[in-house]
């Protein structure tokens, strides 16, 4: 069925409206002006140099990377086991278990952040990076489970039965058969759980304190105190990183489709 001409025009206009803020941020990141203004009167790499030359921004980036890596490892490890149980398990409470796992997607993050803050303050865990990774893993777990359930459903159960019939143990089958076949989905889960943690602001604001300030918290504080042009450079770097991650995930999905 051929689309109406106005539908194509409206879609193109909508895409331009959605993409234009990203384009403006990318242009502003190369501004040589002392204040944020569009269009820039001069162009320079000074704000990228200031970002990598400022210890506060470097420390915030380091904290975000460490917390994000910890969160994606925890979320992917737990999520893979949960997804495998949901796909291969025979228990009756599957829907209830899946609903419980998906709760972080339904509950507003500010509610989760307040609850985690009171728990963390009692345990003295404010500003502890591994604990923040655990908190971020809770938020990323539903996304991981949804991705891995889809990936594991495409793994033929007869392949596992064949491995059992050849004398392989459950652990060997899991390690040598299931994980390699689901590997593209696992990598996608790692990427999305890392992005979820890296972009998380609300929970980090409650749990980071002064010693574990993440990049998102640093951006927020900078916007409140002084809208530095360096924020445009940081935002441009985040946009480029996100595009790179999505492109990598798309290539992995194509690879998985060819293997199927």
């Amino acid at each position: 069925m051929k689309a109406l001409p106005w539908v194509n025009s409206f879609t193109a206009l909508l895409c331009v409206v959605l993409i234009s803020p990203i384009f403006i941020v990318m242009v502003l990141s190369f501004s040589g002006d002392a204040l944020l203004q569009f269009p820039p009167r001069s162009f320079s790499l000074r704000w990228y140099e200031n970002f990598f030359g400022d210890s506060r921004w470097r420390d915030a980036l380091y904290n975000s990377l460490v917390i994000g890596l910890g969160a994606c490892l925890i979320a992917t490890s737990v999520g893979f086991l949960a997804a495998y149980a949901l796909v291969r398990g025979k228990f009756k409470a599957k829907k209830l278990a899946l609903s419980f796992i998906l709760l972080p997607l339904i509950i507003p993050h500010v509610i989760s952040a307040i609850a985690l803050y009171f728990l963390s303050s009692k345990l003295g865990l404010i500003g502890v990076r591994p604990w923040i990774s655990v908190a971020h893993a809770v938020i990323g777990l539903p996304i991981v489970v949804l991705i891995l359930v889809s990936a594991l459903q495409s793994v033929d159960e007869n392949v596992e039965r064949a491995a059992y019939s050849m004398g392989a143990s459950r652990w060997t089958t899991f390690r040598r058969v299931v994980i390699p076949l689901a590997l593209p989905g696992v990598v996608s889960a790692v990427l999305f759980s890392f992005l979820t943690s890296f972009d998380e602001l609300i929970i980090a604001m409650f749990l980071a304190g002064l010693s574990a300030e993440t990049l998102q918290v640093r951006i927020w504080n900078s916007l409140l105190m002084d809208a530095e042009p360096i924020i445009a450079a940081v935002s441009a770097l985040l946009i480029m990183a996100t595009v790179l991650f999505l492109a990598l995930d798309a290539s992995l999905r194509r690879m998985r489709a060819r293997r199927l």
Side-chain angles (χ1 to χ4, degrees):
M1 185 176 179
K2 189 175 181 180
L4 296 175
W6 68 268
V7 174
N8 294 332
S9 301
F10 178 76
T11 303
L13 177 62
L14 187 60
C15 290
V16 170
V17 171
L18 292 174
I19 295 174
S20 57
I22 297 176
F23 172 76
I24 292 173
V25 169
M26 297 295 292
V27 172
L28 285 175
S29 69
F30 295 100
S31 172
D33 303 330
L35 298 174
L36 284 173
Q37 57 179 348
F38 186 84
R41 291 179 296 180
S42 61
F43 292 92
S44 171
L45 294 174
R46 60 180 292 193
W47 299 117
Y48 289 95
E49 295 172 357
N50 288 353
F51 171 71
F52 290 107
D54 191 325
S55 60
R56 297 173 300 173
W57 287 99
R58 288 202 312 270
D59 291 343
L61 177 61
Y62 173 77
N63 288 333
S64 288
L65 291 174
V66 170
I67 292 170
L69 288 173
C72 73
L73 289 176
I74 296 170
T76 306
S77 301
V78 177
F80 191 94
L81 297 176
Y84 189 76
L86 290 170
V87 173
R88 294 288 187 258
K90 305 299 183 183
F91 57 96
K92 295 181 179 179
K94 275 188 181 183
K95 292 183 179 180
L96 180 62
L98 182 59
S99 300
F100 181 78
I101 292 171
L102 297 180
L103 275 178
L105 290 179
I106 302 170
I107 299 174
H109 283 197
V110 66
I111 303 298
S112 302
I114 293 171
L116 287 167
Y117 172 76
F118 283 112
L119 176 62
S120 303
S121 60
K122 288 183 178 180
L123 299 177
L125 295 174
I126 299 295
V128 178
R129 285 194 291 262
W131 175 247
I132 301 174
S133 293
V134 173
H136 283 189
V138 173
I139 303 301
L141 184 62
I143 300 172
V144 170
V145 169
L146 291 176
I147 293 173
L148 291 178
V149 163
S150 175
L152 289 170
Q153 284 175 341
S154 64
V155 177
D156 191 352
E157 193 172 0
N158 290 325
V159 178
E160 297 179 53
R161 293 195 182 101
Y164 295 144
S165 68
M166 297 297 290
S169 64
R170 285 187 176 274
W171 168 243
T172 301
T173 302
F174 188 76
R175 180 171 55 91
R176 302 291 296 273
V177 177
V178 177
I179 294 179
L181 289 176
L183 190 58
V186 173
V187 176
S188 295
V190 169
L191 294 176
F192 277 97
S193 58
F194 178 82
L195 285 177
T196 300
S197 171
F198 199 81
D199 289 337
E200 177 58 39
L201 170 64
I202 299 176
I203 291 177
M205 286 179 63
F206 279 86
L207 301 185
L210 297 176
S211 59
E213 184 183 49
T214 64
L215 190 59
Q216 300 297 333
V217 175
R218 177 65 188 152
I219 293 173
W220 175 263
N221 291 334
S222 182
L223 284 171
L224 288 179
M225 302 300 178
D226 183 21
E228 306 171 89
I230 194 173
I231 296 173
V234 178
S235 301
L237 289 173
L238 293 177
I239 291 169
M240 289 186 284
T242 302
V243 170
L244 179 63
F245 273 53
L246 293 177
L248 179 59
D249 179 66
S251 64
L252 289 172
R253 288 178 183 275
R254 287 196 296 270
M255 182 191 308
R256 179 184 168 193
R258 286 197 297 268
R259 289 177 62 179
L260 296 176

